[in-house]
Amino acid sequence: MERVFLLTVEHLQLSLMGVLIALLVAIPLGIFIYRYKGFAGVVLSLTDVIQTIPSLAMLALLMLVFGLGNTTVIAALVLYSLLPIVRNTYTGLNNVSPSLIEAGRGMGMTRFQRLRYVELPLALPVIMAGIRVATVTAIGIATIGVLIGGGGLGVLIWRGIQNTDTQMILMGSIPAALLAILADFLLGKIEKRLIPKGMN
Amino acid sequence: MVIFDRVSKQYEDGHEAVKEFSLEVKDGEFLVMIGPSGCGKTTTLKMVNRLIEPTSGTIYIGQKDITKEDPVKLRREIGYVIQDIGLFPNMAIEQNIDIVPRLLGWSKEKRKQRVDELLSLVEMDPEVYAKRYPSELSGGQQQRIGVLRALAVEPPLILMDEPFGALDPITRDNLQEEFKVLQKKLNKTIIFVTHDMDEALKLADRIVLMKDGEIVQVGSPDELVNSPADEFVSTFIGSSRMENYKRSETR
Ligand SMILES: Nc1ncnc2c1ncn2[C@@H]1O[C@H](COP(=O)(O)OP(=O)(O)O)[C@@H](O)[C@H]1O
Ligand SMILES: [Mg+2]
């Protein structure tokens, strides 16, 4: 039982690490292509292509660079998380009503102030939706990390499969599923708290 | 106060929206720009706070050529009210009103005092409204806040682009009355864009009638009604409106 717990924690750590690193890249990238629309096509297609690479293939490819183990798993999770966050940051910012942007400009907000006080807060619900998708996806993909020597709940699932041990499969897959559901639920809560009262 | 010196604007597509526009707006004047849709009113207005840059000509505000000013600083010194109201839905009413004061770094106490003062000006109880969000107000109340926001740092000049255009007739009427009183009290210079002749006649000290980017006639409401420069002016005002206006004048 303790083993299940430890692997669950590790699983969560891997997933969160992947999403967190992705956030640091994806949100600035989303803002960048919003500001410089000329790059939007290239960046979005590129993240789109990354997204379509089958996960086992991705792990195998990354393994060639990062070797066996959790680093490779995290790298894969980062890459998969990019698309939903970049795309939603870009879409969310683009959806901000032009008249609000003009009002901000007309009142003498600088570009940065507009971003900080108007554009990002108004795009936040959409950005958060992207983060939720990324997190749930990451928790799912992390389960196959075991194939390239990663940890997490995949370890139990894989061992269970090899030994046709139903109990072990369940001990791995049920916590993984619960983790995904719980993460989605909690992020939903956070989303509600982050979004100012006047918006719905 | 504001001088337009042969100001023209040609958009990238080659369309000349404003042609050699020259005009002097006096201190404390309520100037209304009117004309058919697409005649260049908004373009002219936005050149004053540099949301649009003229292709040629110069605009002066109080002797100063505005192209020599930092646009961000310039805009903080000019009130701006738009038809879409443009209140920020993520901010409470008090935050919407005190945006420019915040940008200018006013203290919290001073800002709060100003918000209360402004809300009281339009008879909206600060206790009730300061903490509300725009979505919790009616359209008319929202545009009152839009106007207060423009007044927050007491700019001597306010630009208004069809501010009451999206409101229902009764609310619009009330706001017009209210605003006329407010303007007299605060002694602001106002450049007000509309396509509604009734509104223009009601509010203006002086009316600028435009067509195809050019001024057709400038004059007080009386002058426009009593001596329209040409056929276009009289048609634009309309014969029934002219008669109504003259009748209410003689009464
Ligand atoms: N960004 C733009 N690019 C090209 N043409 C424009 C742009 N903005 C306005 N116009 C054109 O310039 C003319 C004047 O527009 P505008 O000043 O908005 O008129 P008004 O406010 O009087 O309705 C119109 O013909 C309009 O189509
Ligand atoms: Mg217009």
Side-chain angles (χ1 to χ4, degrees), chain B residues 41-42 161-162 193:
Chain B
K41 307 180 293 293
T42 297
D161 195 350
E162 311 207 19
V193 165

Side-chain angles (χ1 to χ4, degrees), chain B residues 27-227:
Chain B
D27 258 334
E29 181 173 34
F30 199 129
L31 184 94
V32 174
M33 292 201 295
I34 192 167
S37 172
C39 72
K41 307 180 293 293
T42 297
T43 305
T44 308
L45 194 74
K46 286 189 185 171
M47 288 194 284
V48 178
N49 61 2
R50 296 187 61 188
L51 289 177
I52 295 176
E53 299 290 353
T55 336
S56 66
T58 317
I59 298 173
Y60 301 89
I61 298 181
Q63 325 294 336
K64 275 188 282 186
D65 175 351
I66 58 168
T67 51
K68 305 249 165 18
E69 310 264 312
D70 168 30
V72 166
K73 186 168 168 289
L74 178 80
R75 290 173 195 145
R76 290 177 187 175
E77 291 162 358
I78 301 176
Y80 186 46
V81 186
I82 57 177
Q83 174 170 4
D84 298 324
I85 303 176
L87 294 185
F88 300 118
N90 54 322
M91 300 181 195
I93 297 307
E94 57 183 359
Q95 295 169 307
N96 266 289
I97 295 178
D98 78 4
I99 288 173
V100 184
R102 253 186 296 153
L103 295 179
L104 294 176
W106 287 21
S107 74
K108 211 171 165 188
E109 298 76 49
K110 192 170 167 201
R111 280 188 281 133
K112 164 126 185 35
Q113 192 190 342
R114 184 67 183 143
V115 168
D116 289 357
E117 197 175 285
L118 285 164
L119 282 171
S120 310
L121 211 56
V122 294
E123 274 151 30
M124 287 172 77
D125 184 356
E127 292 287 314
V128 179
Y129 291 104
K131 301 269 187 255
R132 288 208 186 163
Y133 282 84
S135 59
E136 299 168 315
L137 303 189
S138 71
Q141 289 173 326
Q142 288 185 24
Q143 193 53 300
R144 281 188 184 85
I145 304 302
V147 172
L148 296 184
R149 181 170 71 175
L151 293 171
V153 294
E154 308 202 50
L157 172 65
I158 299 172
L159 311 176
M160 305 178 89
D161 195 350
E162 311 207 19
F164 308 137
L167 305 174
D168 65 87
I170 296 172
T171 312
R172 188 189 311 148
D173 239 48
N174 290 338
L175 252 75
Q176 286 166 350
E177 298 292 343
E178 246 178 72
F179 188 64
K180 182 77 190 171
V181 173
L182 206 62
Q183 189 259 344
K184 286 281 160 270
K185 190 157 98 187
L186 303 174
N187 190 35
K188 302 284 177 198
T189 306
I190 291 173
I191 306 181
F192 187 108
V193 165
T194 183
H195 62 260
D196 173 356
M197 199 62 193
D198 290 317
E199 187 168 68
L201 292 173
K202 192 159 150 188
L203 295 175
D205 293 326
R206 224 155 37 121
I207 296 176
V208 177
L209 180 55
M210 292 178 69
K211 183 187 159 196
D212 299 332
E214 287 175 309
I215 298 180
V216 182
Q217 187 172 4
V218 184
S220 67
D222 280 355
E223 283 165 348
L224 255 77
V225 171
N226 293 320
S227 38

